[in-house]
Each structure stands twice: as C-alpha cells, then as structure tokens.
C-alpha cells in the first residue's frame, strides 16, 4: 500500500513541477515590449511613480520606477517584474506569454506601437489618427478590414456585454454627437487604447469620469 502511495505522489509531483517552474520563470525586464509592459507603466504612473512614457517599452526609467515600488513593498529592488511584484502591483496573477488568442494579442501589440502618435481629424496613418482611422489601421495591419467611421464600425461584428470584454474588442462611446461617435480597442483590466482628440494615441480606463458615462457598447471582430 505504501508503494502505491509513493507512486501516486511521484506522478502528482511530475505533473505539478513543470507548471511551478514555468510560473517562477516568468518575468518582465528592461528591453521587453508589449501590452503587459504598458499596463505596468500605467499602473506605476497611477500610483505616483515616475514613468516618462506609457509606450509598452520597458526602459531604464520603467526599471527605476519598478525598483521604487519594490522597495516600498518590501521586496528585493531588482527592477525586474517577477510574479510577486506583478501580483502586488496589478492585483492579478501573472500569466505565461502565449496564453489567450494570438490574433487579438497581435492586435494589441500593433496598437501599442503607435502610442503618442498625434490626433488628426480624418487621419488614417501613423502621421496622425482620428479614432476610427486608428482602429481601422491597426486591424488592417492584422488582416481584418473595418469600415471607416466609428458609427459604422459599431454596426459590424458581434455585440459583447461589458462584463465579457476580451482584448481586441472594439469599445464605443458617445462624444461630440449622439450614438457611437468614438471608438477604441480594449486591452484588458478595464483599459482601452484609442486616438484621443486631446492627447493622441493613449491608454485610458473605461471607468474614468469622462468615459464611463459615455460608454455605449462593444463589438467583437475576432471570434474565438
């Protein structure tokens, strides 16, 4: 009987250890890029740490801000965002890269390349975007054709409830006219990236005092 129990625990450990090791190996550090980095930068900035740009590029100043956060949180100040730092900073577990839908991840990664591009009414290129010009351009870069205007984009795709949003969904707001007149791309954690008329391409929160009451709905263009 003891032999059977030993075999059981050995098998259990063999199944568990690879997952534990891979989780421990996850980290984000200087030189890394992507939406996770942008989310870390935004959260650090929200907490009052100095981050020059929320651009999805893990720069030296991002590392310095991470160190400051780690020191305040009584963690070893490495400047590297490991699973523990990530959990304390963002309030959720770190997930290994590659989880989720590759197409929508690529859409988010593409959108982050244009953070800081200025707003231009009627703009459809990296020289200047308006809101629907930005979403149309990003999706076209990933092989998905979108109509030109926000209100027309709102008439396409599959309707999605706010509590079921996934990265890559289009989120719509009413701004200068009734109905869907502004559009952005949902990233995760209640955030979306869009071409703002005031600051150009940027990341905002759905629950911001300006955007929350203006939210009108969401559409999914990538079905999975």
């Amino acid at each position: 009987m003891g032999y059977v129990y030993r075999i059981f625990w050995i098998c259990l450990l063999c199944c568990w250890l690879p997952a534990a090791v891979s989780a421990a190996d996850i980290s984000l550090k200087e030189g890394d890029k992507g939406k996770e980095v942008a989310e870390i930068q935004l959260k650090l900035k929200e907490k009052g740490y100095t981050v020059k740009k929320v651009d999805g590029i893990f720069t030296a100043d991002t590392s310095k801000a991470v160190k400051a956060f780690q020191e305040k949180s009584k963690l070893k100040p490495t400047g590297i965002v490991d699973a523990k730092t990530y959990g304390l900073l963002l309030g959720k577990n770190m997930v290994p890269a590659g989880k989720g839908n590759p197409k929508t991840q690529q859409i988010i990664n593409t959108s982050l390349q244009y953070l800081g591009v200025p707003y231009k009414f009627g703009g459809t290129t990296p020289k200047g975007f308006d809101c629907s010009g930005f979403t149309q351009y990003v999706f076209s870069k990933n092989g998905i054709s979108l109509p030109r205007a926000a209100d027309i984009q709102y008439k396409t795709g599959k309707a999605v409830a706010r509590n079921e949003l996934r990265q890559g969904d289009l989120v719509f707001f009413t701004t200068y006219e009734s109905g869907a007149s502004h559009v952005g791309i949902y990233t995760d954690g209640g955030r979306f990236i869009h071409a703002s008329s005031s600051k150009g391409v940027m990341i905002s929160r759905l629950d911001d005092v300006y955007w929350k009451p203006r939210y009108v709905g969401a559409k999914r263009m990538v079905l999975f």
Side-chain angles (χ1 to χ4, degrees):
M1 196 69 172
Y3 174 78
V4 172
Y5 276 121
R6 283 197 296 273
I7 295 298
F8 169 79
W9 283 108
I10 288 170
C11 291
L12 187 62
L13 285 169
C14 286
C15 292
W16 176 80
L17 279 174
V21 171
S22 62
D25 287 345
I26 305 168
S27 65
L28 291 164
K29 58 187 182 300
E30 194 169 333
D32 287 338
K33 300 178 182 179
K35 74 179 184 67
E36 293 284 344
V37 176
E39 188 175 5
I40 287 165
Q41 291 172 322
L42 186 61
K43 181 59 73 173
L44 286 167
K45 200 165 187 177
E46 288 175 354
K47 288 181 176 291
Y49 297 95
T50 302
V51 176
K52 294 178 182 178
K53 288 184 179 179
V54 178
D55 58 2
I57 303 172
F58 205 123
T59 54
D61 75 287
T62 302
S63 180
K64 187 176 179 179
V66 170
K67 285 181 182 179
F69 171 77
Q70 289 170 327
E71 286 177 347
K72 187 173 182 179
S73 304
K74 302 190 184 307
L75 299 174
K76 187 177 180 181
T78 60
I80 296 171
V81 179
D82 56 11
K84 192 166 185 178
T85 301
Y86 186 94
L88 286 173
L89 180 61
L90 297 174
K92 62 182 181 179
N93 292 328
M94 194 175 225
V95 179
K99 296 293 183 182
N101 185 284
K103 173 65 76 174
T104 56
Q105 286 185 346
Q106 188 56 45
I107 287 170
I108 300 303
N109 289 340
T110 301
S111 70
L112 289 170
Q113 295 174 22
Y114 304 104
L115 279 167
V117 168
Y119 179 87
K120 180 181 179 181
F121 184 76
T124 60
T125 74
K127 291 182 179 179
F129 289 115
D130 65 15
C131 66
S132 58
F134 174 64
T135 54
Q136 184 186 56
Y137 185 87
V138 169
F139 273 73
S140 70
K141 284 288 187 179
N142 290 277
I144 299 171
S145 178
L146 292 181
R148 175 65 182 91
D151 58 342
I152 302 176
Q153 289 181 7
Y154 188 57
K155 294 177 182 177
T156 62
K158 177 185 176 183
V160 181
R162 182 164 175 165
N163 62 354
E164 295 179 350
L165 284 169
R166 296 176 180 173
Q167 66 177 26
D169 289 344
L170 293 180
V171 287
F172 295 86
F173 307 85
T174 180
T175 53
Y176 63 91
E177 62 182 15
S178 61
S181 53
H182 187 76
V183 60
I185 304 169
Y186 186 74
T187 56
D188 58 10
R191 298 181 178 89
F192 65 102
I193 183 168
H194 62 124
S196 161
S197 60
S198 59
K199 297 182 179 179
V201 179
M202 63 179 293
I203 295 173
S204 298
R205 297 185 63 91
L206 290 175
D207 59 2
D208 280 349
V209 292
Y210 180 81
W211 296 111
K212 186 175 181 179
R214 290 172 171 80
Y215 181 82
V216 295
K219 291 297 182 75
R220 182 163 298 155
M221 305 297 169
V222 182
L223 303 179
F224 54 94

